[in-house]
Amino acid sequence: MTSFHAPEIRVGIDGRKFPRAAELGPIRLLERCAELGHDGVFFRTVLDVSRTLDRGFLRAVKQRADELGLYLEMGLGKVNPYNTPEAPEVRDVGKGDYLLGMTRMIEATTEIGCTALWGDTANYQRHDWGLHAIDRYRTDVTWADQLDATRKFLLMLAPVLKDHDAVVAIETHEEITTTELVRLVEAVGPDVVGVTLDLANVVVRGEDPVAATRRVAPYVRKTHMRDLILFERPLGLERQIRAIGDGLIDFKAVLSALFAAGVNPNFTIENVWGSDRNQIPLFDPDWQARQPDAELGEILELIRLSRIFESAVRAGTMPGPDDYYSIQADLPELEGFIERSARSLKSAAAALAAAKE
C-alpha cells in the first residue's frame, strides 16, 4: 500500500532527439507528437525553436501546442561559466553578453508560459577520453571552482528568474552528483533553481537511481526519462541506454519517490539510438578521490544490478550490450523506443494507483 495518491502522468518527447526533429521543425514536431498519442514536447532550449527569439513564431508554437492539448517545455542552456564558450548561440542573443542572452531567453519563454527552464552544468565530451570526457575531471580548473562559479552565476540570474516567476531546472548530468545539485538549489534558492531528473546519468557518478531520486525529489521540475543496463568492466561498470522497461531501473520506486514528495512533473522520453555507453570506473583511485559524496551502499547496488543483468543475458531473457540496437534502425523502430518507454512508464504509474485502491 502506498501513502499517497498516485496521479496520472503525462509523457512526452524530446524536441532535439526525436527522430527527424530538425527536418520536421517545431510545429510539425508538435503535430507528430500528437499523432503518436504522446502528451507534449520538451525543447532543450528556446533557441532550438527560434535562434532569434522571434516572438511571433514562439506564440505560434505555443498556440499549436495548446490546440493539440500538449505540454510545451523549453530551456536555457549552460549555467557553468567555465562552459559558456561551448554555447556561443546564447552569447549571440545577448550580442556578446551571456547574462543578457540568458535574460532575453527567460523573457521570451515566460511570455508563452514556459517557466520551468532546463539548464545544465557541462557537456559530455568525447567517449574515448576516459575521465577527461567529463568536465568534472578538467585539469585547468577544479570541479569545486566550477561549482562555485555556477552558484555565483545563478545568483546573478536569480533576480531575473524571480521577476518572471521562473526556475532554471539543472539536469542531473554526468559531471554533477545529486548531492551537489541539492546544495546548489539550497544555496541559491528553490524558488529560482530546481532539478531536471535524468536517471541514466546518475549512475555515471556511482549513484543508485532510486536513491538519487529520493534526494532530489522535492526540487524536480522537469525530467529526461530513459532506462539503462549495467555490466562489468575491468575498472568497474559500463552503462548502456535502453528504452524504459528494457533495463534495470525500478520506475515504480522512482515514481513513488516523486509522488511522495508531492511532485508530478511532465515525463519526457530522451530517446537515443545506437551504442550510447559510459564507463563507470568504480575501482579507479582517481575516480574515487573525486567522489567525496559517494555512498558505498549505492555503489554496491549498481554492482548488484549489473549482476542481475548479466544473469538475465545468460538466461536469454535480456539481450546483451551488442544485441539490443539494430545497426540501421528504420523510423518505426526509432519511434518505437519512445512509444515503448511511454507505455512502460504509464504502466508503472497505473500499478502504483492500483496498489492504493
Side-chain angles (χ1 to χ4, degrees):
M1 298 289 290
T2 56
S3 58
F4 56 88
H5 172 63
E8 293 185 3
I9 64 172
R10 304 187 81 195
V11 183
I13 65 175
D14 185 299
R16 183 178 293 178
K17 294 189 177 181
F18 185 82
R20 301 187 300 130
E23 173 189 338
L24 290 168
I27 290 179
R28 183 68 188 106
L29 181 60
L30 290 168
E31 292 168 346
R32 183 59 181 157
C33 173
E35 288 167 3
L36 293 172
H38 302 310
D39 299 317
V41 180
F42 172 178
F43 291 99
R44 197 72 59 96
T45 85
V46 62
L47 300 181
D48 288 346
V49 181
S50 172
R51 292 292 287 248
T52 62
L53 301 180
D54 182 315
R55 297 302 208 271
F57 184 67
L58 291 174
R59 285 193 295 271
V61 170
K62 171 61 173 171
Q63 180 180 339
R64 191 65 181 127
D66 290 345
E67 290 169 350
L68 295 168
L70 301 177
Y71 72 75
L72 178 66
E73 295 187 338
M74 296 191 191
L76 302 175
K78 300 284 177 287
V79 293
N80 174 355
Y82 286 96
N83 287 94
T84 55
E86 298 178 25
E89 65 278 7
V90 177
R91 187 164 292 172
D92 288 345
V93 170
K95 298 189 181 302
D97 183 332
Y98 196 88
L99 182 62
L100 179 58
M102 283 245 162
T103 298
R104 288 175 172 169
M105 292 165 72
I106 292 167
E107 291 170 348
T109 54
T110 55
E111 281 178 14
I112 59 170
C114 298
T115 56
L117 307 173
W118 173 84
D120 70 349
T121 48
N123 282 333
Y124 185 82
Q125 310 296 346
R126 292 171 58 90
H127 286 269
D128 56 355
W129 285 353
L131 290 180
H132 298 298
I134 296 176
D135 285 335
R136 186 182 190 90
Y137 302 99
R138 284 175 64 161
T139 57
D140 56 333
V141 58
T142 67
W143 180 240
D145 284 344
Q146 292 181 66
L147 286 175
D148 192 47
T150 300
R151 177 186 61 82
K152 291 176 180 177
F153 179 71
L154 289 170
L155 286 169
M156 294 171 66
L157 203 59
V160 181
L161 292 163
K162 288 180 181 179
D163 285 347
H164 293 83
D165 294 321
V167 171
V168 55
I170 304 174
E171 183 173 335
T172 55
H173 211 240
E174 286 96 346
E175 69 280 347
I176 191 166
T177 70
T178 52
T179 299
E180 290 164 343
L181 259 179
V182 168
R183 291 186 191 126
L184 266 180
V185 171
E186 294 176 348
V188 181
D191 57 330
V192 291
V193 180
V195 171
T196 297
L197 182 65
D198 186 330
L199 293 174
N201 292 333
V202 302
V203 298
V204 178
R205 297 271 55 83
E207 298 183 334
D208 163 38
V210 175
T213 302
R214 291 179 181 135
R215 268 191 293 278
V216 300
Y219 307 122
V220 171
R221 300 294 297 271
K222 301 167 81 72
T223 67
H224 270 160
M225 293 282 102
R226 52 245 180 99
D227 212 333
L228 57 87
I229 55 93
L230 298 165
F231 51 99
E232 292 186 9
R233 283 290 182 253
L235 279 177
L237 301 173
E238 188 169 322
R239 174 203 79 171
Q240 183 186 59
I241 301 297
R242 295 198 172 181
I244 295 174
D246 293 347
L248 299 167
I249 296 178
D250 182 348
F251 278 97
K252 283 198 291 186
V254 167
L255 292 177
S256 178
L258 292 172
F259 297 158
V263 172
N264 183 21
N266 296 319
F267 293 90
T268 296
I269 306 302
E270 184 182 4
N271 54 296
V272 299
W273 198 261
S275 189
D276 185 350
R277 297 181 180 182
N278 282 86
Q279 299 291 322
I280 312 171
L282 302 173
F283 310 135
D284 182 334
D286 193 14
W287 186 92
Q288 295 170 4
R290 302 198 223 186
Q291 295 290 130
D293 300 313
E295 296 283 346
L296 177 59
E298 293 188 40
I299 290 173
L300 292 176
E301 173 63 8
L302 298 186
I303 293 172
R304 185 186 75 87
L305 290 174
S306 74
R307 291 180 176 176
I308 289 174
F309 169 70
E310 288 162 0
S311 294
V313 172
R314 288 193 296 271
T317 57
M318 294 183 79
D322 297 324
D323 301 322
Y324 182 73
Y325 290 103
S326 301
I327 295 174
Q328 291 188 333
D330 57 17
L331 185 60
E333 192 170 6
L334 294 173
E335 292 182 341
F337 182 106
I338 302 165
E339 191 279 330
R340 193 161 65 255
S341 294
R343 185 174 64 248
S344 295
L345 199 57
K346 288 183 175 182
S347 292
L352 286 176
K356 176 64 176 176
E357 295 175 354

